[in-house]
Amino acid sequence: MYNVKYYYLFTAVKTCNDLMVLGYSDGWYTIDPDGPNAGVDPFMVECNMTTENDTAVTIFHHDFENRTYIDTPCETSLCYRQNITYNYTLQQMVAVINMVPSCEQRFVIECKKMRLRSYAAWFNRDGKGSYYLGDMDRNTTTFTCECSLTASCNTTSQACNCNTNDSVWRSDTGYVTYKPDLPVTALAFGDHGNSGEEGYFSLGKLHCYG
């Protein structure tokens, strides 16, 4: 007579949510999102089982999770580029993204005299430049932030707080939630080559729910 819990664990765990249903706590576990003998091989991920909405989170780490100073001065559009390297293959992450109801990545830009408007972009899983930050038109071709949806940017005529372009430290924050765009694979900025122009970026871990 086999143990149902462990039979399920080693043959059918596709996401962290499967483990949460079985009573497992936070930790690192091996999952196989597309099932045995198909697609990607099983791999290990971090699972957070203690979220407020009773849904487990599968967490994908990368090499730029800490707040990062934009340290290469340059002025032209997208002249500073930082590629993001994950601890997983793209195929592994996409297998989970396709399995779960939702995923997200948090993106924070801090700026002083550094505009985003026609100078910044982030790049999706296919390497395509994207110019939105938050729940808005994904087809915009000029960098647009969440504050523009409610006309609450520091300068209401601008589409991002950073576009105020003054000597005060400002920030723009948003989530990328459109699954076909995830994970974020690179970030690019410009307008930070002159005296007093500075910026930081923070890109969160990729979180997939369910």
Side-chain angles (χ1 to χ4, degrees):
M1 186 73 173
Y2 60 78
N3 184 308
V4 173
K5 179 177 179 180
Y6 286 96
Y7 175 79
Y8 187 88
L9 176 61
F10 290 108
T11 62
V13 172
K14 294 186 176 182
T15 68
C16 292
N17 215 55
D18 291 343
L19 292 160
M20 187 184 75
V21 169
L22 292 170
Y24 285 85
S25 58
D26 295 355
W28 288 81
Y29 297 96
T30 297
I31 62 172
D32 191 2
D34 45 20
N37 304 315
V40 300
D41 291 334
F43 57 95
M44 184 169 284
V45 294
E46 183 182 7
C47 296
N48 180 354
M49 314 296 194
T50 55
T51 58
E52 294 179 0
N53 58 1
D54 295 324
T55 299
V57 184
T58 304
I59 301 172
F60 295 97
H61 291 269
H62 60 78
D63 59 345
F64 274 90
E65 294 174 4
N66 296 325
R67 180 173 180 254
T68 301
Y69 185 67
I70 301 172
D71 59 0
T72 304
C74 63
E75 276 296 303
T76 57
S77 176
L78 312 184
C79 55
Y80 170 95
R81 177 173 172 134
Q82 181 58 65
N83 294 324
I84 308 299
T85 301
Y86 291 83
N87 299 347
Y88 317 86
T89 67
L90 180 59
Q91 290 76 16
Q92 288 171 332
M93 291 185 286
V94 169
V96 172
I97 291 168
N98 290 343
M99 277 291 304
V100 301
S102 64
C103 297
E104 66 180 16
Q105 250 179 311
R106 185 171 185 260
F107 188 3
V108 180
I109 306 166
E110 300 169 69
C111 51
K112 185 172 68 171
K113 296 180 68 176
M114 189 187 94
R115 292 166 293 179
L116 304 179
R117 185 173 58 212
S118 55
Y119 293 92
W122 56 269
F123 295 83
N124 67 12
R125 70 167 75 158
D126 299 318
K128 178 185 176 183
S130 298
Y131 306 92
Y132 69 93
L133 189 56
D135 186 16
M136 59 185 59
D137 181 9
R138 297 188 302 273
N139 296 315
T140 180
T141 56
T142 300
F143 207 94
T144 306
C145 302
E146 209 159 50
C147 61
S148 66
L149 297 176
T150 55
S152 60
C153 300
N154 295 136
T155 301
T156 55
S157 62
Q158 298 291 347
C160 294
N161 292 320
C162 287
N163 292 344
T164 299
N165 197 35
D166 60 7
S167 297
V168 177
W169 276 104
R170 303 186 184 277
S171 66
D172 287 290
T173 303
Y175 287 85
V176 179
T177 60
Y178 182 57
K179 292 203 301 179
D181 274 346
L182 292 168
V184 174
T185 59
L187 310 169
F189 304 98
D191 193 33
H192 57 90
N194 293 328
S195 177
E197 296 177 338
E198 295 184 88
Y200 292 85
F201 69 84
S202 303
L203 179 66
K205 307 172 185 70
L206 173 61
H207 288 178
C208 289
Y209 298 85

